[in-house]
Amino acid sequence: KKTDAKKVKKIISSYVEKAVHIHSLPARSAKNKANGAPPQEKKPAAKKAKTVVNNIASLVNGSDPRSFVRKRIAKDFDSKTFYGTIMEYDDTEKPAYWHVEYDDGDEEDYSKKDLIKALKYYEIKGKNDTNKSNKKS
């Protein structure tokens, strides 16, 4: 039985080596193959550009928390977008929070997770913000 297992292992290994070799060969179309054209090397796929939205979490985690004061945010309430301004950062309590005042007068305290979500949402919806130059004092 050990001999049979060794034979099976050797056969499988041979197939794997062949499969790896075949997949590493350059590709060519059936038309080029018929014309005797040499195989074309595949170009590596282009890397996707990182978007601002994907970098917001890194920005929040790597910046002075107070640097977000006066920044605009957006939040969805019942399928309607509301805009607000980050008014202050308070680290006297744990966990620390950012205080937001919405344009309609409501207020809310944001955790880091809430802040990241609201900044990302603003990147998407901010173009519709009619008060974007009206940052509260």
Side-chain angles (χ1 to χ4, degrees), residues 69-130:
V69 173
R70 298 259 181 279
K71 298 283 186 200
R72 297 287 286 166
I73 56 89
K75 187 170 182 178
D76 177 61
F77 288 104
D78 297 325
S79 300
K80 187 172 181 202
T81 302
F82 288 84
Y83 298 97
T85 303
I86 302 166
M87 300 308 293
E88 68 177 303
Y89 173 74
D90 187 348
D91 61 355
T92 61
E93 296 181 29
K94 296 293 178 203
Y97 65 89
W98 289 264
H99 184 74
V100 173
E101 289 182 10
Y102 293 99
D103 296 345
D104 67 357
D106 279 352
E107 299 180 16
E108 187 174 8
D109 292 333
Y110 276 22
S111 67
K112 185 184 281 192
K113 184 178 177 181
D114 296 331
L115 177 68
I116 292 168
K117 186 175 178 181
L119 289 169
K120 284 182 179 182
Y121 197 62
Y122 190 81
E123 283 295 321
I124 296 165
K125 296 290 186 174
K127 62 185 172 286
N128 300 324
D129 181 5
T130 58

